[in-house]
């Protein structure tokens, strides 16, 4: 038993086979645990908690292990981050690796670098014949892979690692490349064999980027895993001879949920179950890519001699063939098959998208429902759509159909409760705008501020109809909070500070039936109503403005409604049933990530049934630059709204009333412009879908639409 880091460091060099070092219960703060020892197969050396789940590794801490036949168990990493690039590392130096070792029944939860885009890896497995099992990894919020198998030396190749029965808990949208949950290998060593087995893990709402699993080496097996409501795909990004078998993808019709993507040679995708997946393009239910002829090792190898056979796809929207076809990715699949798949769906009756020549794919024995359309006549048969819920609670086609493809019993190979650390809860939900108390706030100076300081996550602060609320201090939003007045006359909020509300890390704000007025704001340039923190935020936030009135943001120039900073990200921003008038800046200035690295500031924006008048900047300026294809957004909907005298201010660099650069899905409909600057569209990478319908522009410049070589579709006008 050891009680502190000094005792630990002293005892570790003395450990013999069969020995045990036990960390005493409590907080171990700012500790770098170096577990270097050599046990035997019969007598491993163990590092464990006195009681599982009661030893907390906090502050700037990490764990490194090397040697033979080691076991680590029962630790919790929380309330801190690693001072190096890895939290748990299966090596103590570049030459000292762990082999035949195991980490089990251990937790890493929200152990994140405070800088959102400072990258680290939570678990890095080196060496050979290691096992990572029954651990819980959840709430990774900064850039970097959750779990990575490293292959940068010969001693870590052909490693035969086993990764099983782990719970990969929720991971929020990163808004950047570098948000993979599991990666095996890298492009540099992708043609080397890893031979890692990944089985019976539960991936729960892991949404970091579109590669949930990034396979980047040869000879790996993914078997009996469950992917629950996760945005993205299991992607064979590099490497050959991958087996993907009997995995269950349960999208439940959540946005951007995806399945399996084939790239490279000799890949086998068979007997997987995919339900309710909505992802498009690279995030389809089943995707076969185009490749780069004779391309460099870090690009897309062509699909050769690969199988996508015997899978069941239910109520999913997209099956993509030759995806990514462009001037560079011009090599179509060859020697490959799509046999004996059952695809039953009414959510999209034209599920196949064919981007290039599919003559190199053999189609045989596939079954679709009657109404669905297919890319070729041969290799497909039609049956009536008939889906029932089986005894395991899954939607399935008839037994007679599944017997034809020898699928077997359709049931989850593992449940959430079968996985992860035995002592740690898996019922994780993010704090939301609901679930808290309702608190009535009297009118007056700083009464709202006092209520905010006393509030708890999910509370609703109810202001009195028609009353005035003055803020003379900064109002910090540190958790989800709703500020509203009941139906009737709006409550009025004024502020003497440059910013009414500042959303801090962990905060989210909903405003409902309020009148926000800038009459008391200081005579300074650059005021705003809502601001994010000036510092990097690891927690995504949301902002909702409903049934509000915003006036008088004109005491000086550049008075924005929302101002954001680099390193901050919103899951959603909505302005609904709201009027905004006399604004010298912009309404939504979401254009701060301008380094063109594929990073952006918001995932979803909704502007609905709202009116904007006399705004010198833009109503929305949303920017996503670069050519990275690892993310989904931004996604923007503008509908039922009016824009009058928008965008004519001399400081409006975009020269637009609304400016959208790199938006991946844009729908502008049923809206009116008068005496305004034009709508500016810059379509960049990926396959952006832009639909403009039922709009009227009077005394307004023509829509400016630009694109580059990465653009596959034109703007759709209706």
């Amino acid at each position: 038993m050891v009680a502190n880091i000094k005792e630990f460091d002293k005892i570790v060099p003395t450990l013999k086979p069969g020995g045990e070092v036990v960390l005493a219960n409590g907080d171990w703060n700012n500790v770098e645990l170096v577990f270097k020892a050599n046990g035997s197969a019969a007598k491993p050396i163990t590092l464990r908690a006195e009681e599982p789940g009661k030893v907390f590794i906090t502050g700037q801490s990490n764990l490194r292990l090397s040697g033979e036949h080691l076991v680590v168990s029962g630790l919790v990493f929380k309330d801190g981050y690693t001072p190096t690039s890895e939290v748990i590392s299966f090596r103590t130096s570049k030459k000292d690796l762990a082999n035949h070792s195991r980490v089990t029944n251990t937790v890493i939860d929200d152990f994140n670098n405070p800088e959102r885009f400072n990258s680290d890896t939570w678990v890095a497995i080196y060496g050979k014949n290691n096992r990572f099992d029954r651990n819980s990894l959840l709430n990774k919020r900064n850039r970097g892979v959750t779990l990575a198998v490293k292959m940068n030396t010969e001693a870590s190749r052909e490693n035969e690692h086993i990764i099983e029965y782990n719970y990969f808990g929720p991971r929020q949208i990163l808004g950047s490349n570098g948000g993979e949950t599991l990666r095996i290998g890298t492009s540099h060593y992708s043609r080397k064999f890893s031979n890692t087995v990944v089985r019976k893990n539960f991936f729960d709402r892991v949404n970091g980027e579109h590669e949930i699993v990034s396979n980047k080496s040869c000879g790996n097996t993914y078997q009996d895993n469950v992917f629950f409501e996760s945005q993205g795909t299991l992607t064979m990004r590099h490497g050959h001879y991958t087996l993907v078998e009997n995995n269950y993808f349960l999208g439940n019709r959540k946005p951007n949920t995806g399945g399996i993507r084939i790239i490279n040679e000799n890949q086998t995708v068979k007997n997987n179950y995919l339900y309710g997946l909505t992802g498009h393009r690279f995030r389809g239910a089943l995707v076969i890519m185009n490749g780069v002829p004779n391309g460099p090792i870090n690009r897309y190898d062509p699909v050769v001699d690969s199988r996508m056979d015997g899978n069941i796809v239910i109520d999913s929207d997209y099956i993509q063939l030759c995806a990514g076809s462009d001037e560079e990715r011009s090599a179509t699949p060859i020697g490959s098959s799509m046999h004996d798949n059952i695809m039953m769906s009414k959510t999209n009756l034209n599920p196949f998208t064919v981007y290039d020549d599919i003559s190199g794919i053999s189609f045989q024995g596939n079954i679709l429902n009657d109404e669905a359309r297919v890319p070729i006549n041969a290799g497909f048969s039609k049956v009536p759509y008939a889906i029932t819920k089986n005894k395991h609670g899954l939607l399935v086609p008839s037994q007679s159909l599944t017997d034809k493809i020898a699928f077997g019993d359709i049931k989850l190979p593992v449940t959430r409760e079968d996985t992860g650390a035995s002592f740690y809860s898996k019922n994780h939900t993010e704090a939301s705008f609901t679930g808290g108390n309702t608190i009535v706030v009297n009118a007056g100076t700083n009464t709202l501020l006092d209520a905010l300081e006393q509030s708890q996550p999910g509370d609703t602060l109810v202001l009195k109809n028609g009353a005035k609320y003055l803020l003379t201090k900064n109002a910090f939003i540190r958790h989800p909070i709703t500020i509203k007045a009941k139906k009737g006359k709006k409550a009025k909020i004024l502020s003497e500070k440059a910013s009414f509300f500042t959303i801090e890390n962990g905060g989210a704000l909903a405003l409902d039936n309020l009148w926000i007025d800038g009459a008391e704001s200081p005579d300074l340039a650059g005021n705003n109503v809502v601001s994010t923190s000036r510092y990097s935020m690891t927690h995504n936030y949301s902002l909702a403005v409903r049934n509000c009135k915003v006036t008088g943001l004109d005491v000086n120039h550049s008075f924005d409604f929302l101002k954001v900073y680099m390193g901050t990200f919103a899951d959603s921003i909505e302005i609904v049933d709201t009027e905004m008038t006399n604004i010298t800046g912009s309404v939504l200035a979401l254009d701060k990530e301008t380094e063109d690295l594929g990073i952006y500031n918001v995932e979803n924006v909704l502007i609905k049934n709202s009116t904007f008048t006399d705004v010198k900047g833009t109503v929305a300026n949303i920017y996503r630059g670069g050519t990275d294809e690892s993310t989904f957004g931004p996604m923007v909907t503008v509908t039922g709204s009016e824009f009058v005298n928008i965008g004519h201010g001399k400081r409006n660099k975009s020269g637009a009333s609304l400016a959208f650069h790199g938006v991946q899905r844009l729908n502008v409909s049923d809206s009116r412009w008068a005496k305004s600057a034009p709508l500016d569209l810059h379509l960049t990478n990926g396959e952006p879908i832009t639909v403009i319908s039922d709009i009227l522009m009077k005394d307004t410049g023509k829509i400016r639409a630009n694109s580059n070589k990465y653009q596959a579709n034109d703007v759709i006008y209706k």
Side-chain angles (χ1 to χ4, degrees):
M1 179 78 74
V2 294
N4 55 56
I5 190 65
K6 288 184 179 180
E7 292 181 4
F8 175 85
D9 290 341
K10 183 178 179 180
I11 201 68
V12 167
T14 72
L15 293 168
K16 305 296 183 185
E20 210 173 48
V21 57
V22 180
L23 304 190
N25 289 347
D27 276 5
W28 287 66
N29 188 48
N30 295 333
V31 294
E32 295 191 58
L33 300 166
V34 179
F35 182 35
K36 187 175 182 179
N38 287 290
S40 66
K43 294 183 176 182
I45 297 176
T46 299
L47 162 61
R48 67 172 177 87
E50 179 182 357
E51 294 179 78
K54 294 188 177 181
V55 171
F56 297 93
I57 314 299
T58 62
Q60 295 192 45
S61 300
N62 60 18
L63 166 66
R64 290 173 285 163
L65 59 149
S66 68
E68 302 284 333
H69 298 286
L70 307 178
V71 177
V72 175
S73 142
L75 309 181
V76 179
F77 290 81
K78 197 171 174 64
D79 298 326
Y81 62 98
T82 177
T84 59
S85 59
E86 296 160 353
V87 179
I88 297 177
S89 180
F90 281 67
R91 72 176 187 180
T92 57
S93 72
K94 290 184 177 180
K95 293 183 178 180
D96 295 309
L97 312 181
N99 299 301
H100 301 283
S101 294
R102 179 186 184 194
V103 173
T104 185
N105 206 32
T106 286
V107 174
I108 307 178
D109 183 2
D110 211 354
F111 203 70
N112 297 300
N113 191 295
E115 291 294 328
R116 184 183 187 90
F117 295 117
N118 278 3
S119 180
D120 57 45
T121 300
W122 274 9
V123 179
I125 305 180
Y126 299 86
K128 295 182 187 290
N129 300 108
N130 292 313
R131 183 179 175 197
F132 188 81
D133 69 288
R134 301 187 184 280
N135 302 291
S136 295
L137 307 177
L138 61 159
N139 296 317
K140 192 173 198 312
R141 301 181 187 278
N142 65 310
R143 179 187 274 168
V145 184
T146 305
L147 187 156
V149 173
K150 300 295 186 81
M151 299 172 58
N152 51 338
T153 66
E154 186 65 36
S156 293
R157 298 172 196 155
E158 298 184 21
N159 52 64
E160 312 290 340
H161 297 320
I162 294 176
I163 299 168
E164 63 181 357
Y165 288 102
N166 298 291
Y167 175 70
F168 293 94
R171 180 164 188 179
Q172 66 185 16
I173 297 168
L174 182 63
S176 164
N177 190 11
E180 305 98 325
T181 294
L182 171 62
R183 189 184 71 213
I184 301 179
T186 60
S187 60
H188 297 291
Y189 310 105
S190 59
R191 291 169 189 167
K192 303 293 184 180
F193 279 80
S194 179
N195 301 333
T196 295
V197 175
V198 179
R199 64 191 179 202
K200 294 188 181 298
N201 301 283
F202 199 96
F203 294 83
D204 186 5
R205 294 164 287 165
V206 286
N207 302 331
E209 59 154 271
H210 80 62
E211 292 183 14
I212 301 168
V213 173
S214 184
N215 185 86
K216 292 188 173 182
S217 54
C218 298
N220 300 313
T221 297
Y222 301 90
Q223 198 169 48
D224 299 334
N225 302 287
V226 175
F227 296 81
F228 180 79
E229 295 183 2
S230 295
Q231 297 186 21
T233 61
L234 190 164
T235 301
M236 284 153 271
R237 182 63 181 86
H238 296 302
H240 312 309
Y241 298 98
T242 312
L243 173 62
V244 179
E245 180 181 25
N246 200 47
N247 301 283
Y248 279 60
F249 294 78
L250 307 179
N252 295 330
R253 305 296 302 163
K254 299 294 184 180
N256 297 314
T257 47
I260 303 165
R261 184 157 64 116
I262 285 183
I263 313 165
N264 310 300
E265 303 175 13
N266 294 285
Q267 315 287 40
T268 300
V269 175
K270 67 177 184 179
N271 294 97
N272 299 282
Y273 174 91
L274 306 101
Y275 166 72
L277 305 175
T278 63
H280 175 255
R281 199 171 177 258
F282 290 0
R283 284 82 66 181
L286 297 175
V287 181
I288 299 177
M289 291 281 294
N290 260 21
V292 179
N294 302 311
I297 198 169
N298 67 334
R299 293 304 292 149
Y300 289 78
D301 280 358
V303 175
V304 178
D305 297 336
S306 295
R307 299 169 52 198
M308 188 171 271
D309 301 343
N311 302 288
I312 295 176
V313 185
I314 304 294
D315 290 340
S316 297
D317 293 348
Y318 295 101
I319 297 168
Q320 313 277 272
L321 304 178
C322 303
S325 176
D326 57 20
E327 292 181 4
E328 182 198 25
R329 291 181 293 225
S330 61
T332 58
I334 60 173
S336 297
S337 67
M338 194 168 189
H339 293 177
D340 301 322
N341 299 285
I342 299 174
M343 294 161 278
M344 305 285 284
S345 176
K346 288 193 174 183
T347 59
N348 182 10
L349 297 179
N350 191 22
F352 285 89
T353 308
V354 178
Y355 295 91
D356 210 325
D357 179 14
I358 57 173
S359 61
I361 305 174
S362 167
F363 297 92
Q364 180 180 306
N366 299 295
I367 300 169
L368 284 83
N369 49 296
D370 284 335
E371 307 95 329
R373 292 181 286 278
V374 294
I376 60 174
N377 293 323
F380 293 87
S381 61
K382 300 286 191 71
V383 299
Y385 177 90
I387 298 296
T388 58
K389 185 174 287 189
N390 71 4
K391 62 183 178 181
H392 306 298
L394 297 174
L395 294 175
V396 298
S398 68
Q399 185 73 45
S400 62
L401 293 180
T402 58
D403 285 347
K404 287 183 179 181
I405 65 171
F407 197 91
D409 193 17
I410 300 176
K411 62 178 293 187
L412 294 184
V414 68
T415 68
R416 184 186 281 108
E417 294 308 314
D418 293 332
T419 62
S422 59
F423 56 84
Y424 210 75
S425 173
K426 302 171 191 70
N427 298 320
H428 175 84
T429 56
E430 288 286 329
S432 68
F433 289 125
T434 59
N437 295 318
T438 298
I439 302 166
V440 176
V441 183
N442 291 323
T445 299
N446 292 332
T447 55
L448 175 55
L449 185 66
D450 294 339
L452 281 170
E453 291 296 323
Q454 298 299 317
S455 69
Q456 299 297 316
D459 283 354
T460 298
L461 306 184
V462 179
L463 310 190
K464 295 189 175 181
N465 296 98
K468 288 186 179 181
Y469 295 79
L470 177 65
L471 302 172
T472 67
K473 304 175 184 178
N474 290 318
F476 293 104
I477 308 299
R478 297 187 172 94
H479 48 248
I481 194 80
T482 299
I483 304 173
K484 65 178 292 185
K486 292 181 179 180
K487 188 176 181 180
K489 195 171 183 181
K490 292 175 170 54
K492 190 173 186 179
I493 301 178
L494 305 100
S495 177
E496 294 180 355
K497 301 296 291 183
S499 180
F500 284 59
F501 304 103
T502 300
I503 299 176
E504 297 285 291
N505 205 24
L509 178 63
L511 304 173
D512 190 351
N513 198 32
L514 305 176
W515 178 3
I516 308 292
D517 188 73
E520 299 297 330
S521 296
D523 188 4
L524 299 170
N527 292 338
N528 56 78
V529 174
V530 181
S531 169
T532 66
S533 171
R534 294 176 178 270
Y535 307 103
S536 184
M537 293 169 59
T538 55
H539 287 67
N540 295 357
Y541 70 95
S542 294
L543 173 65
V545 182
R546 307 183 186 106
N547 191 33
C548 287
K549 179 180 179 181
V550 178
T551 59
L553 309 188
D554 57 0
V555 65
N556 207 315
H557 71 79
S558 306
F559 199 146
D560 295 333
F561 180 78
L562 171 65
K563 182 175 183 178
V564 305
Y565 289 87
M566 293 181 68
T568 65
F569 189 84
D571 280 328
S572 66
I573 295 173
E574 63 177 61
I575 299 175
V576 178
D577 298 325
T578 290
E579 300 177 11
M580 295 193 179
T581 305
N582 293 334
I583 299 174
T584 60
S586 294
V587 176
L588 302 178
L590 297 159
D591 58 344
K592 298 303 179 287
E593 303 288 357
T594 57
E595 295 179 341
D596 291 346
L597 299 175
I599 302 173
Y600 51 106
N601 289 117
V602 62
E603 188 73 4
N604 298 282
V605 174
L606 173 64
I607 299 173
K608 181 178 179 181
N609 299 341
S610 296
T611 300
F612 305 90
T613 306
D614 298 332
V615 178
K616 293 188 180 298
T618 58
V619 167
N621 189 354
I622 300 173
Y623 189 94
R624 177 193 192 274
T627 59
D628 182 75
E629 295 178 298
S630 299
T631 50
F632 304 106
M635 293 174 281
V636 180
T637 297
V638 179
T639 187
S641 296
E642 294 189 10
F643 307 90
V644 180
N645 193 28
I646 309 297
H648 294 310
K650 63 182 181 180
R651 293 180 175 83
N652 182 9
K653 295 179 180 179
S654 71
S657 54
L658 292 95
F660 302 117
H661 184 114
V663 170
Q664 294 297 289
R665 290 202 176 195
L666 174 64
N667 192 309
V668 180
S669 66
D670 190 27
S671 296
R672 306 289 178 264
W673 277 256
K675 299 180 181 178
S676 293
L679 177 64
D680 188 88
L681 312 173
H682 191 88
L683 287 68
T684 58
N685 64 301
E687 191 178 317
I689 298 173
T690 302
V691 180
I692 311 293
S693 61
D694 298 319
I695 68 170
L696 176 66
M697 291 187 165
K698 184 178 180 181
D699 298 328
T700 296
K702 292 182 179 180
I703 294 175
R704 300 194 298 250
N706 303 296
S707 63
N708 60 23
K709 67 178 182 178
Y710 295 96
Q711 164 60 17
N713 292 338
D714 294 325
V715 177
I716 300 169
Y717 295 99
K718 296 183 179 181

